[in-house]
Amino acid sequence: GSLDLTFSKGINEYSNYNENDERLVVSFTIPLFEKFSSMYNYKVSSDSYVYYKALNDFASRRVESNYNKSKSNLMLSYETFKKREDNLKASLKIFENAKKQFNRGRISVNDLLIEQDRLLRTEVLANSGTKQFHKAIAEFCHAVGKSIIKECL
């Protein structure tokens, strides 16, 4: 009879997203115990399959979760963006009307300054809404695996 010694090393590049999962398997084969070796190899293969299937399922759930989260965030950001743009248009009309009223002497400087302050705050909120919407677009594109610059914007 003969004695065989085998070393094998495997690397899972996709484990835990940034860490390598290394396994070292050492097996001795003695012809008398060939059946035991086959059973052991089957068990190692079966365990490895279950382990990597669980990793794959986890990654799939995480991708789906990121997609759903970014999609709902995109929809909410769009609604907020539109409402803030509408508020900005209304605030601008109110301020323009206040300027006309001021020029006619119907309102005081303080009233005009109040309307100007409201307009400025509305502009800041509208800019913030635009920023959030663009951020949500980028997150959604990333979640679906598209290039932000080439395919989404």
Side-chain angles (χ1 to χ4, degrees):
S2 67
L3 175 65
D4 296 329
L5 177 62
T6 306
F7 292 97
S8 62
K9 181 179 178 181
I11 297 176
N12 177 18
E13 297 174 7
Y14 306 106
S15 174
N16 295 331
Y17 300 101
N18 290 325
E19 300 175 9
N20 287 333
D21 179 26
E22 298 181 9
R23 290 181 172 217
L24 177 65
V25 177
V26 179
S27 60
F28 295 97
T29 305
I30 300 174
L32 179 63
F33 300 108
E34 189 71 34
K35 298 270 187 209
F36 293 122
S37 174
S38 296
M39 286 176 25
Y40 172 76
N41 288 337
Y42 173 78
K43 179 67 174 152
V44 167
S45 296
S46 176
D47 289 347
S48 293
Y49 171 79
V50 169
Y51 174 74
Y52 291 118
K53 173 109 173 74
L55 281 178
N56 187 35
D57 290 347
F58 172 75
S60 296
R61 284 191 302 273
R62 186 172 176 183
V63 166
E64 185 177 345
S65 173
N66 284 344
Y67 169 78
N68 290 334
K69 179 182 169 189
S70 64
K71 182 179 176 184
S72 65
N73 190 29
L74 178 63
M75 294 168 64
L76 180 64
S77 296
Y78 178 73
E79 291 299 320
T80 302
F81 164 75
K82 291 303 287 175
K83 287 179 182 177
R84 288 183 178 182
E85 287 294 316
D86 292 343
N87 287 344
L88 179 60
K89 289 176 187 174
S91 186
L92 188 57
K93 285 182 184 178
I94 291 170
F95 178 70
E96 290 298 326
N97 188 27
K99 277 195 331 188
K100 289 177 186 174
Q101 296 295 329
F102 175 75
N103 289 335
R104 293 183 187 147
R106 294 184 181 163
I107 63 171
S108 69
V109 172
N110 286 338
D111 293 333
L112 182 63
L113 290 175
I114 289 170
E115 292 305 324
Q116 184 180 27
D117 185 55
R118 283 186 191 149
L119 175 62
L120 293 175
R121 282 186 281 134
T122 305
E123 286 176 337
V124 168
L125 288 173
N127 287 334
S128 174
T130 302
K131 178 185 136 196
Q132 285 302 110
F133 180 53
H134 286 179
K135 181 180 174 189
I137 290 172
E139 288 173 351
F140 181 75
C141 289
H142 179 70
V144 296
K146 294 192 179 231
S147 168
I148 295 169
I149 295 173
K150 291 181 182 176
E151 297 174 298
C152 282
L153 298 179

